[in-house]
């Protein structure tokens, strides 16, 4: 069984540093940012979203804990209410490398959905980078459907 456990300040500090690095790398890979600007932009965007760190209203920063093996990953999401309907948005979902490919991603999303159901959340949104085929396959398998697709064609090789 997997449970979501809210992060403490120390865990959040490590999570923030890893998230900045990974978000910067993903945006460079995607061709949206240059390497020289990537860290600054990642810090700026993340600080805007998490203006009060783990105490930012509506945001949940959690460790994913498996009852036998312990911490297997992290999830950061926000819950909003609009026109009387609650929705969640996943900003970051990570299964640590040594636990990938073992079903923990699927189990974690089921635990996450169970928690959201108890909060009367009716939908979940997320963004997945186009080059992240593994994540896309997991989300598709779990019932997520595309709601918008951005596409790009390179006219010269990179």
């Amino acid at each position: 069984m997997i449970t979501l456990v809210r992060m403490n300040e120390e865990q959040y500090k490590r999570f923030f540093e890893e998230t900045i690095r990974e978000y910067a790398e993903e945006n460079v890979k995607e061709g949206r940012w240059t390497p020289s600007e990537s860290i600054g932009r990642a810090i700026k965007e993340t600080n805007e979203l998490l203006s009060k760190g783990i105490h930012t209203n509506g945001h949940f920063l959690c460790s994913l804990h498996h009852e036998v093996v312990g911490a297997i990953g992290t999830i950061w999401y926000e819950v909003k209410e609009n026109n009387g309907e609650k929705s969640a948005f996943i900003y970051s979902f990570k299964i640590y490398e040594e636990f990938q490919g073992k079903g923990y991603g699927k189990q974690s999303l089921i635990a996450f959905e169970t928690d959201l159901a108890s909060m009367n959340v009716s939908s979940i949104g997320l963004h997945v980078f186009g080059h992240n085929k593994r994540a896309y396959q997991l989300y598709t398998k779990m019932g997520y459907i595309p709601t918008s697709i951005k596409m790009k064609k390179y006219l010269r090789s990179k």
Side-chain angles (χ1 to χ4, degrees), residues 102-120:
K102 299 178 180 179
Y104 292 126
K106 182 178 178 181
Q107 292 174 43
S108 295
L109 288 173
I110 290 169
F112 172 60
E113 291 172 12
T114 301
D115 282 5
L116 291 180
S118 72
M119 293 190 282
N120 295 317

Side-chain angles (χ1 to χ4, degrees), residues 16 18 47 51 88 98 108 114 139:
F16 184 86
E18 289 172 10
N47 278 332
S51 59
E98 63 268 30
S108 295
T114 301
Y139 297 134

Side-chain angles (χ1 to χ4, degrees), residues 36-58:
S36 62
E37 71 179 336
S38 64
I39 294 294
R41 288 185 73 172
I43 290 170
K44 180 180 182 293
E45 286 188 15
T46 305
N47 278 332
E48 286 172 358
L49 289 167
L50 293 171
S51 59
K52 295 180 182 171
I54 60 174
H55 305 291
T56 304
N57 191 36

Side-chain angles (χ1 to χ4, degrees), residues 74-91:
T74 58
I75 189 167
W76 162 28
Y77 65 97
E78 180 181 20
V79 174
K80 287 184 182 178
E81 187 167 339
N82 190 12
N83 296 324
E85 191 168 311
K86 286 185 181 178
S87 63
F89 187 85
I90 300 172
Y91 286 99

